[in-house]
Amino acid sequence: MNRARILSGLVTAGLFVCLSAAGCSPTPVAKVVAEPVAPKAVDPINKLSLPSVTFRDITAESGLSFTHHNGMTGEKLLPETMGSGVAFLDYDNDGDQDLFLVNSCPWPGKGEEKPTQRLYQNDGKGHFKDVTKEAGLDKTYFGMGVAVGDYDNDGDPDLYVTAVGGGHLYRNDGGKFVDVTDASHAKASDGWLTSAAFFDMENDGDLDLFVCSYVAWSPEFDKAQSFNLAGVGRSFGPPNAFRGAFCILLRNDGGKFADVSEEAGIRIRKAELKDPMAKALGVAPCDVDGDGLVDLAVANDTVPNFLFHNLGKGRFEEVGITAGIAFDQAGSPRGAMGTDWGDFRNDNSLGLAVANFANEMIALYVADTPKDMQFSDMAPYYGLGAPTQPPLKFGLFFFDFDLDGRLDLLSANGHLEPDVSKVQASEQYAQSAQLYWNTGRKGREMFALLREREAGEDLFKPVVGRGSTYADIDGDGDLDVVLTVNGGPMRLLRNDGGNANRWIRLNLRGNGSNRDAIGARVVLKSGEITQRRQLFPAKGYLSSVEKALTFGLGKAETADSVEITWPSGKVTKRGPLTAGKAYLIDEADGVK
């Protein structure tokens, strides 16, 4: 999030004036190092049959009434503008997806309100009831993100909520959540925690926890700085005004967690100062090289992104620079927020998408042969260059919204600074989400930016977007979307028409592996198309998606075969499977 360079900057005619947080710098005007720009491509939308899909805002009729409290009182303290996250989970094990929303609160002495975290129960048809208090989640603190995982392998999804001041672990006991943070040694830190992810780093059958830390922050330090927009006044400070903070790795030892960050190689320091390098906002697990061990991509704000290569036996090596995911094409770090992995070409390659700051393109780091762990930023080549550059991007994820068997990309957008339009006319505080349809074509025509006429106007209503998630909320097979809004009401957007194509949903249950089967790799073949997915609900920005895997089949009536490689290493093969159904596949017992 290069606010010192961009938020306080004026971008004109390919030049920018770099303004410090305190005012103008005497540094001469410098040319922006441009990303490679391809010749203008023919608009692929006008030459293709578009999906008949509309995302319709059904927030009010669904019974959802959550408004995020960001604590803003005019002091412009940095955490106020950064939250918050959201997660789909089946907390009551009734087969449908419920919704958890992270909330913040007033600063001490700044208000009497006590807004809480919120849990909504789904009736299976997309209607929600507030069950926060009865579920034991009516807790007030300055929340940020959420991860979902059955850390005790009892069959109930548990919650880990990050916050300014540390993490909170809630054990799910049959639909009632119990705060076991202290008993489980899961607080992780007293600092500012952001995204988190459950994964099994050793394949020992229980879920470990990776937690991102943003910066070393205190209200006293923030208030003492002269963060100003020229001619406007106090602004939110840039991350480069704060020291970094160490990411945290908590190993699960039978339900209690041990901080193994140092010995595991997670604490990355600046070479010259020995200070923490990370300013982490997003994490995406993935077995990149196919060795059966989960690796971790970390999106860092204004410092190099990380790729933690899992070496086994609880050890990781940070290889972001050598793997090619640390910088932009000019060799500079960007303001990275949300991130997700996907085999978007259906050819056993791998792409890492990263949402970046305003006037910075989305990154799409692609490895043709993932086992070599050599990536190149191919965003402009695949149509994700210039269209992605203007907005400030936060929550993004791959998903197949039209069920044609190809992964599309959605980005939730919104600026940090309410007054940004006063210093940069091209930027607005509230911004439209962006939906990129995977056309299946090669090169620059692969991802096409859809607009109101293609996907309906509701999705593109400008908001101060932050977290995002997806799930099939009503059992019709297609994927619906939730966007969170900083300081505003969340939005539930129902997918109308995605199920015009056929689909299969897979619910995986580990038996020997962790019960959630997090980390399982799935290969589904249908006709000439082979799709590959890995089960990791943690993705995007501060958020978590449903655990079920949805595969679009296009017009095919069956999936010819499904092959699952479980975290234990066991392989299960099934098929053919009839379209239009959800299958439960148990590691021990097969299809039910």
Side-chain angles (χ1 to χ4, degrees), residues 159-174:
L159 289 170
Y160 189 78
V161 184
T162 63
V164 176
H168 303 262
L169 178 63
Y170 297 103
R171 187 184 66 218
N172 185 345
D173 291 342

Side-chain angles (χ1 to χ4, degrees), residues 496-575:
D496 290 344
N499 59 2
N501 281 321
R502 295 180 175 89
W503 50 271
I504 277 177
R505 285 169 59 82
L506 301 180
N507 293 283
L508 305 184
R509 186 166 64 199
N511 196 323
S513 302
N514 69 85
R515 188 176 174 88
D516 278 344
I518 288 177
R521 291 173 288 156
V522 181
V523 179
L524 181 144
K525 295 182 179 180
S526 180
E528 299 299 316
I529 296 177
T530 300
Q531 300 178 59
R532 297 168 181 85
R533 307 281 173 79
Q534 295 186 25
L535 177 52
F536 291 109
K539 60 185 64 203
Y541 177 72
L542 306 176
S543 299
S544 184
V545 304
E546 67 172 349
K547 193 168 72 70
L549 295 174
T550 296
F551 291 87
L553 301 180
K555 301 305 178 184
E557 296 184 357
T558 61
D560 300 327
S561 66
V562 172
E563 180 176 301
I564 302 158
T565 303
W566 304 88
S568 67
K570 180 179 177 180
V571 177
T572 298
K573 297 181 180 181
R574 294 289 182 268

Side-chain angles (χ1 to χ4, degrees), residues 174-189:
K176 306 290 184 181
F177 288 87
V178 179
D179 188 336
V180 295
T181 308
D182 292 339
S184 299
H185 311 299
K187 187 176 183 180
S189 166

